[in-house]
Amino acid sequence: MTRGYAAFPTRFPLYNAPDDLPPQYGCGPIKFNGSNNALYERHLLFDNALSPSEVGDRERYEAIARSVRDVLSQRWQQTEETYSRENPKRVYYLSMEFLIGRSLSNNILNLRLDPMARRFFAENQLDELAILAQEPDAGLGNGGLGRLAACFLDSMATMQLPGMGYGLRFEYGMFKQQIVNGWQCEQPDNWLRRPDPWEVARPQLAVTIEFGCSFEVRGGNLKATAGASTLLGIPYDRPIVGYGGKTINTLRLWASAATNSFDFQGFSAGEFVSALAERLTAETVTRVLYPDDSTSMGQGLRFVQEYFLVACSLADLVRRFRLNNSDWNCLPDKVAIQLNDTHPCLTVPELMRILLDDAGLDWELAWDITKRMLAYTNHTLLPEALEKWPLRWFELMLPRHLEIILEIDRRLREEIVTRWPEDNDRAERAGIVERGAGHLVRMAHLAIAGSHSTNGVAAIHSRLLRDVTVRDLAELYSDRFSNKTNGVTPRRWLLMSNPGLANCITNAIGDRWITNMADLELLKPLAEDGEFIAAVGMAKRQAKLRFAEWLKSQAGIQVDPDTIFDSQIKRIHEYKRQLLNGLRIVALYNRLRENPHVDMQPRTFFFAGKAAPAYQVAKLIIKFLNNLADTIDGDPAVHGRLRVVFLPEYCVSMAERLIPASDVSNQISTAGYEASGTSNMKFMMNGALTIGTRDGATIEMAEAAGEENFFLFGLTAEQVAAGRDWYNPWWHYENEPETRAVLDLILSGHFTRHEPMIVDALRNILLIGGDTYRHLADLGSYMAADLRLQSLYTKQEAWTRRAILNIASSGKFSSDRTIAEYANEIWHVSPCPVP
Ligand code: 26V
């Protein structure tokens, strides 16, 4: 008999607290007995009705995850009970995306079960890494906006705030990226093919949503047809464990279904197939995440998804409010709703509809309540990504909402004309409905008019939003605008992903930093302490070795940890300028080819990121980077000195591995374009030095650490804007020898031997088309900053000292700080501790 079976107990004792759980993190009634495996064994064998010889790592993963969920489920219920009893003001974070990644190790860590888990894996001789790798990333997001939502949930739970996330349960998340002959190929991400141990379906709480039209799937698209219809929203809850396990909040994701899941009449009449087709159409709504974060191209299904999220979530939270409160006037005292970009901004007309039609309030009161409840965050200034929906779609699908929007628009215009009677165009510019060939509803304007707060995500971004992008509305409602600089959770991004460095920090200053990142300031004096410098240097080396080993085992790629690890990992976008990084690499390559004896630090460049499937230029950039990697790899002249690696399938789990191992973080967007960035913060906390432009939150990071500890370069946002009419890339080509040599080598086809169309495309982007994103303007100063960086790297101690000063200054970029600002200045919610 195998060990697992023999150990199977006949009774299931109550869980006892792990003996090494520090008392300050005591989880109340949560008890877990580390010395027996009862829970695990039961899940392993009974959940899938398997014999011990049949179980593999996937079953082991599920059994461990289920055991952890058992451990937290009581506390999860108590959290909800406490909120029901105390009836505090709650905050709801509405987002089309939650990029949560994996949950098992994060939940173990936040429950402080990690010592016990380590013992468990050892005692049972289980391969921890192989088992953790069984969990698919929950890739329910495109990039920064979705990952921010996930970090915010972690912070709210850790700070014991009564918060809840609302999103969609996409059956297919962000596509899987393969690289074939250098090109990106997309594969569906069927992440729910196997049962997800973290989600709890709550069909008893399903809500019914009404549309002014019916739907059918035609030619792969969702088409609206005549006649009203209904959809069912079924909630699936996921636990959000705060650090220390005191509060466990909920992320509620909605899945769509048909109201009559089975048409029995139709079935009797022999219409079995069409009855089921209706059901399939209904389920289409939450089938797939839109993998495009660069354009708001009119997609009918996307519009339906947005309304579905809004309608389900509002029905749910209003129902919850009504359980404890009878007076509609109290809604803003009990509910704050944060709108993550304009994606959930149909909340404005939907809430008005509920207050007018269901609650029977008059317009003035309904409008006042709506504004006091809602707050809006903007995450991009790119005009092509600002959502505008055709008025016609409202007419077709949401006629009542259209009436409400037109009335909001009428009143807004009236207000503007009264205040600026001389300014004839202002109402047209600032109105909600953009009048034109096809009338469009400007969702950002709707969000600003219908809320009490609008914020950007870094100081420069909030300023540009107010002074340029929505200037007219900002002048009208100046008191509504503020900035809330983004942050990231130090639990996942430092404590969990970089245990070596985390230990180093804890040994030096204690572990309070985990929930109080300002404490990292205490590390500043240690930047002069030889022993601490050595320890931090060692932690970086360990992380590099660990990453190199992982890469070897996963992809068969061998990288040298003695080279500088220089990373740029993010969505592929022209404005993020992966191409500029490529130009830098070609310049270094040229230097080495010209003079093999040139003094240059050996380097490995890492790229990772996905392009929107329809974004051709972004896909071409991926192809170029892969060609660059192949050519350089195949050139013996630079062997051992220069290496380029494009890592396919960038995701949260990959970032968790690569960021701790990186020496250099590239944040090189054209100034004025990157709203904030959040990977920049993760790199900083993990002791990478930043080479970057004065854009987004990088500006505030350099301010915090001191510009002398950063490698800043390039045009400022003001200079970029000022050059709009006269910038000419040819000037740089003609007057800067290195720039010219770089372009000549690329345009000679050196990296694209049998692919002339790539050369044509690059010539177009960088020269003929005017170089919209100023690659050539910034290449010279990028190279200069790069030289400074290389020279510092030769002095390892000085380098690590700067890394320490960066870590010590990264406290501001904890999402705990960001959430404290939202809670105090926008939501006015306070902690509601669970006894
Ligand atoms: C935009 C769109 C356009 C309509 C179709 C679907 C779709 C999906 C996602 C997006 C998001 C674009 C905005 C975005 O992700 N912004 C990023 O937000 C981060 C968090 O605030 C910030 O750090 C990044 O700088 C910013 O690019």
Side-chain angles (χ1 to χ4, degrees):
M1 222 185 284
T2 63
R3 192 168 34 81
Y5 203 63
F8 190 72
T10 49
R11 59 193 186 86
F12 305 106
L14 260 183
Y15 326 118
N16 301 312
D19 33 13
D20 40 7
L21 195 70
Q24 72 267 33
Y25 297 117
C27 317
I30 294 178
K31 301 272 167 61
F32 198 94
N33 188 337
S35 64
N36 78 55
N37 301 334
L39 217 46
Y40 168 71
E41 304 282 351
R42 188 179 55 164
H43 282 302
L44 187 65
L45 302 178
F46 285 6
D47 288 4
N48 294 306
L50 289 174
S51 75
S53 63
E54 288 171 298
V55 300
D57 280 346
R58 169 68 205 193
E59 287 74 25
R60 294 190 186 99
Y61 155 69
E62 275 180 33
I64 297 173
R66 288 231 155 80
S67 309
V68 172
R69 208 188 83 186
D70 290 348
V71 169
L72 63 78
S73 70
Q74 273 179 302
R75 193 68 184 170
W76 194 8
Q77 287 162 33
Q78 282 164 2
T79 303
E80 191 45 47
E81 277 164 25
T82 305
Y83 296 163
S84 296
R85 191 179 58 245
E86 303 289 325
N87 193 19
K89 183 173 185 184
R90 302 202 201 201
V91 53
Y92 297 101
Y93 199 81
L94 262 63
S95 176
M96 285 286 283
E97 305 188 6
F98 287 91
L99 192 44
I100 33 201
R102 291 186 177 140
S103 295
L104 178 54
S105 20
N106 195 245
N107 286 345
I108 288 177
L109 184 85
N110 279 12
L111 288 167
R112 310 266 5 229
L113 292 174
D114 39 320
M116 197 227 73
R118 265 194 300 277
R119 214 166 47 225
F120 168 84
F121 281 114
E123 278 172 10
N124 291 279
Q125 293 168 25
L126 296 174
D127 181 347
E128 179 175 349
L129 288 185
I131 290 174
L132 294 179
Q134 293 299 317
E135 179 172 9
D137 267 45
L140 309 183
N142 275 278
L145 164 142
R147 183 53 235 175
L148 184 78
C151 284
F152 279 6
L153 293 183
D154 179 275
S155 284
M156 284 191 254
T158 297
M159 297 161 77
Q160 308 191 330
L161 291 170
M164 182 163 174
Y166 276 120
L168 294 182
R169 181 180 179 269
F170 298 111
E171 202 177 316
Y172 293 84
M174 190 61 195
F175 65 82
K176 295 271 174 201
Q177 181 192 55
Q178 285 177 356
I179 302 295
V180 179
N181 186 29
W183 295 99
Q184 167 178 295
C185 296
E186 301 92 23
Q187 299 296 331
D189 165 40
N190 193 357
W191 73 294
L192 289 172
R193 189 173 42 211
R194 310 201 60 169
D196 185 296
W198 301 112
E199 65 176 17
V200 181
R202 304 209 187 273
Q204 70 279 17
L205 299 179
V207 296
T208 304
I209 305 305
E210 291 174 23
F211 284 90
C213 64
S214 295
F215 298 99
E216 58 183 89
V217 179
R218 237 188 287 151
N221 284 318
L222 198 67
K223 294 273 182 242
T225 62
S229 67
T230 55
L231 264 186
L232 209 58
I234 301 172
Y236 287 75
D237 289 354
R238 309 177 72 89
I240 305 294
V241 181
Y243 188 72
K246 292 177 182 164
T247 289
I248 301 181
N249 283 335
T250 300
L251 168 59
R252 180 160 285 181
L253 301 179
W254 298 100
S256 61
T259 30
N260 289 324
S261 63
F262 198 67
D263 180 347
F264 192 72
Q265 288 295 309
F267 179 54
S268 314
E271 289 167 4
F272 177 69
V273 172
S274 55
L276 275 178
E278 186 188 324
R279 179 174 162 183
L280 284 181
T281 305
E283 288 169 2
T284 299
V285 171
T286 52
R287 187 90 68 208
V288 57
L289 166 84
Y290 272 88
D292 194 337
D293 64 351
S294 48
T295 58
S296 77
M297 278 184 315
Q299 311 264 18
L301 175 57
R302 166 89 186 176
F303 180 73
V304 175
Q305 286 182 341
E306 292 185 357
Y307 179 64
F308 181 73
L309 165 66
V310 162
C312 292
S313 310
L314 284 191
D316 194 52
L317 68 87
V318 165
R319 179 187 47 77
R320 187 175 302 113
F321 167 79
R322 301 283 289 167
L323 285 178
N324 282 319
N325 311 274
S326 51
D327 184 359
W328 289 96
N329 282 294
C330 295
L331 249 176
D333 305 324
K334 293 294 174 190
V335 176
I337 298 176
Q338 191 67 35
L339 305 168
N340 198 23
D341 216 300
T342 53
H343 314 157
C345 280
L346 289 169
T347 297
V348 175
E350 174 69 0
L351 188 52
M352 283 297 285
R353 185 195 64 75
I354 292 171
L355 296 172
L356 293 169
D357 302 353
D358 298 350
L361 307 184
D362 65 28
W363 181 279
E364 307 294 342
L365 184 55
W367 186 235
D368 179 61
I369 291 176
T370 297
K371 283 188 296 185
R372 285 166 55 208
M373 286 171 70
L374 304 187
Y376 155 63
T377 305
N378 173 284
H379 295 269
T380 181
L381 303 178
L382 295 184
E384 61 271 29
L386 290 177
E387 290 188 300
K388 293 177 188 176
W389 293 118
L391 203 114
R392 173 94 193 106
W393 291 1
F394 285 87
E395 231 163 45
L396 218 60
M397 298 184 224
L398 305 171
R400 176 61 179 140
H401 296 76
L402 179 58
E403 279 178 1
I404 292 170
I405 288 171
L406 292 178
E407 180 60 10
I408 297 172
D409 185 48
R410 191 190 65 76
R411 288 171 180 246
L412 172 64
R413 284 167 187 265
E414 206 173 79
E415 204 178 334
I416 293 171
V417 172
T418 312
R419 178 133 169 225
W420 289 279
E422 322 283 63
D423 189 345
N424 295 328
D425 300 333
R426 188 179 279 255
E428 204 47 57
R429 290 197 306 266
I432 308 241
V433 178
E434 181 176 295
R435 297 168 181 169
H439 286 13
L440 297 172
V441 179
R442 297 167 173 147
M443 298 306 286
H445 292 201
L446 181 61
I448 294 166
S451 65
H452 68 277
S453 159
T454 293
N455 72 281
V457 290
I460 182 182
H461 166 69
S462 296
R463 194 170 61 240
L464 291 171
L465 177 70
R466 205 188 50 212
D467 296 349
V468 183
T469 314
V470 293
R471 183 170 166 177
D472 296 306
L473 283 172
E475 279 171 9
L476 182 61
Y477 304 127
S478 58
D479 56 328
R480 295 185 191 177
F481 282 72
S482 76
N483 171 246
K484 300 286 169 279
T485 298
N486 283 166
V488 303
T489 169
R491 270 75 62 184
R492 181 178 288 265
W493 294 109
L494 180 48
L495 185 63
M496 187 184 95
S497 36
N498 200 345
L501 180 61
N503 276 333
C504 234
I505 296 172
T506 300
N507 288 340
I509 60 170
D511 68 358
R512 228 178 60 129
W513 62 271
I514 298 169
T515 50
N516 183 18
M517 279 282 276
D519 261 20
L520 292 184
E521 287 278 334
L522 298 171
L523 294 173
K524 277 199 172 149
L526 296 179
E528 302 304 326
D529 177 329
E531 217 173 295
F532 188 68
I533 294 174
V536 170
M538 186 80 83
K540 179 60 78 182
R541 175 140 188 100
Q542 268 172 13
K544 290 173 83 170
L545 286 168
R546 210 158 77 108
F547 176 76
E549 209 172 287
W550 174 79
L551 191 59
K552 179 88 198 305
S553 71
Q554 291 296 301
I557 300 175
Q558 201 142 7
V559 292
D560 178 1
D562 287 326
T563 61
I564 302 178
F565 281 8
D566 184 306
S567 306
Q568 187 176 15
I569 51 174
K570 46 184 81 249
R571 283 301 285 255
I572 313 288
H573 264 277
E574 287 168 275
Y575 83 80
K576 294 181 189 278
R577 295 200 297 191
Q578 281 90 357
L579 209 45
L580 176 61
N581 196 349
L583 298 181
R584 173 181 64 145
I585 294 169
V586 173
L588 296 174
Y589 176 60
N590 266 341
R591 285 182 196 172
L592 274 175
R593 291 198 319 156
E594 261 165 37
N595 175 11
H597 304 295
V598 72
D599 188 19
M600 194 184 290
Q601 288 298 305
R603 207 137 27 142
T604 307
F605 295 95
F606 292 101
F607 289 93
K610 293 178 183 176
Y615 189 171
Q616 295 307 329
V617 175
K619 292 179 115 171
L620 186 109
I621 292 171
I622 292 179
K623 168 67 176 163
F624 175 68
L625 295 174
N626 277 297
N627 279 22
L628 202 60
D630 287 348
T631 310
I632 289 179
D633 217 21
D635 190 339
V638 298
H639 185 76
R641 305 189 69 181
L642 221 55
R643 185 84 201 283
V644 182
V645 179
F646 189 99
L647 302 161
E649 182 47 21
Y650 180 51
C651 57
V652 172
S653 303
M654 184 193 286
E656 288 165 9
R657 293 187 170 275
L658 182 55
I659 291 172
S662 296
D663 299 300
V664 179
S665 154
N666 284 269
Q667 305 298 335
I668 58 175
S669 51
T670 316
Y673 282 86
E674 187 69 88
S676 161
T678 42
S679 76
N680 46 2
M681 304 167 181
K682 297 164 195 165
F683 278 108
M684 185 190 197
M685 284 175 192
N686 281 278
L689 298 192
T690 305
I691 182 165
T693 47
R694 291 174 178 83
D695 201 15
T698 303
I699 298 177
E700 290 159 72
M701 287 163 40
E703 237 165 57
E707 287 208 3
E708 67 283 7
N709 297 311
F710 262 65
F711 300 101
L712 293 180
F713 71 90
L715 300 176
T716 61
E718 289 68 34
Q719 289 168 327
V720 170
R724 200 140 281 153
D725 297 329
W726 55 261
Y727 170 67
N728 179 7
W730 289 101
W731 186 93
H732 297 277
Y733 179 77
E734 277 150 16
N735 293 283
E736 295 170 357
E738 185 157 56
T739 301
R740 186 190 195 113
V742 164
L743 283 167
D744 284 348
L745 188 66
I746 294 173
L747 300 181
S748 76
H750 183 81
F751 303 101
T752 47
R753 292 224 180 276
H754 308 292
E755 297 152 322
M757 53 80 73
I758 297 173
V759 166
D760 291 343
L762 291 174
R763 185 186 293 111
N764 217 9
I765 296 168
L766 295 170
L767 289 167
I768 297 171
D771 185 19
T772 314
Y773 294 97
R774 308 292 204 277
H775 296 85
L776 302 199
D778 280 352
L779 181 58
S781 60
Y782 192 16
M783 297 311 298
D786 193 74
L787 272 185
R788 300 201 296 276
L789 180 153
Q790 289 193 59
S791 131
L792 185 68
Y793 198 77
T794 58
K795 300 166 233 143
Q796 267 303 297
E797 236 192 74
W799 178 279
T800 307
R801 187 173 304 125
R802 296 223 184 157
I804 294 171
L805 291 174
N806 267 271
I807 299 167
S809 313
S810 69
K812 170 177 171 189
F813 306 100
S814 160
S815 45
D816 298 349
R817 187 269 312 150
T818 315
I819 286 299
E821 291 177 10
Y822 277 92
N824 293 329
E825 295 161 30
I826 300 179
W827 305 332
H828 306 288
V829 296
S830 327
C832 180
V834 182

